[in-house]
Amino acid sequence: MEFSAAIKARGRPREFDPDVALASALRIFWQRGYEGASMAELTEAMGITKPSLYACFGNKEALFKKALDLYEREKLCYVSAALEAPTARAVAQRLLGGALDAHCGAVDPQGCFGIISMVACTTEAASIRDDVLARRASSEAALVARFERAKVEGDLPDTVDPKALAQCLLTVIQGIAVKAQGGTGRADLQSVVDTFLALWPGR
């Protein structure tokens, strides 16, 4: 009987929804950063025990990377759509508008999850910093390629450096995230976006 009960216990389905638990972990990481989020705080928010967290998600680093995947999938879904805009200016407009929506909403924490986590990381969390930087580099490369195409199509002037333009745009987007986290309101950040777009080269 004891052996049968043990088998039944091991085969018992999880008593929590992994997707809901991961969303809760994302919110804690978003608010606290990787190092600022304690395991006790994570398990409490997720409504699970530490052994359940390890069994389902792996260690804290693996959980964070899954949370970052979720953030990119749900909160940054506008990025891929923006790159398909017909002009380089429209790409910038959509990216900036998406950044305002993502970082200035009333539901989610303010600021960019990736930036918050990277800035808070020390050398003890170098792998997390490296992962965030690698994701950012991939996004930048896609934006540079889109602007290079725009230059070939005559949408951007010949004098424009696609890489420099992409970096400039990403710097403004990151600045929006940092300012939003610091409490700057959407109206003021919209003015920043409008000013930047007014200086946009080409159409």
Side-chain angles (χ1 to χ4, degrees), residues 4-76:
S4 298
I7 293 177
K8 184 177 181 181
R10 286 198 298 270
R12 190 178 299 162
R14 293 194 183 103
E15 297 178 353
F16 66 94
D17 185 331
D19 293 334
V20 174
L22 182 59
S24 297
L26 168 58
R27 190 169 188 85
I28 295 300
F29 280 130
W30 200 342
Q31 292 172 330
R32 308 294 190 200
Y34 175 73
E35 293 185 337
S38 68
M39 289 298 288
E41 191 173 18
L42 286 165
T43 53
E44 181 179 357
M46 298 167 75
I48 62 177
T49 62
K50 190 180 293 186
S52 294
L53 186 154
Y54 286 129
C56 185
F57 300 104
N59 58 18
K60 182 182 178 183
E61 181 177 334
L63 174 64
F64 175 85
K65 290 180 179 179
K66 288 182 173 67
L68 191 53
D69 288 339
L70 177 63
Y71 174 79
E72 292 182 341
R73 192 164 58 247
E74 292 192 350
K75 308 303 180 183
L76 300 183

Side-chain angles (χ1 to χ4, degrees), residues 112-120 132 136 173-175 177-178 181:
C112 175
F113 176 37
I115 292 177
I116 292 169
S117 298
M118 188 185 71
V119 170
V132 173
R136 181 180 298 176
I173 291 173
Q174 290 164 13
V178 172
Q181 186 187 11

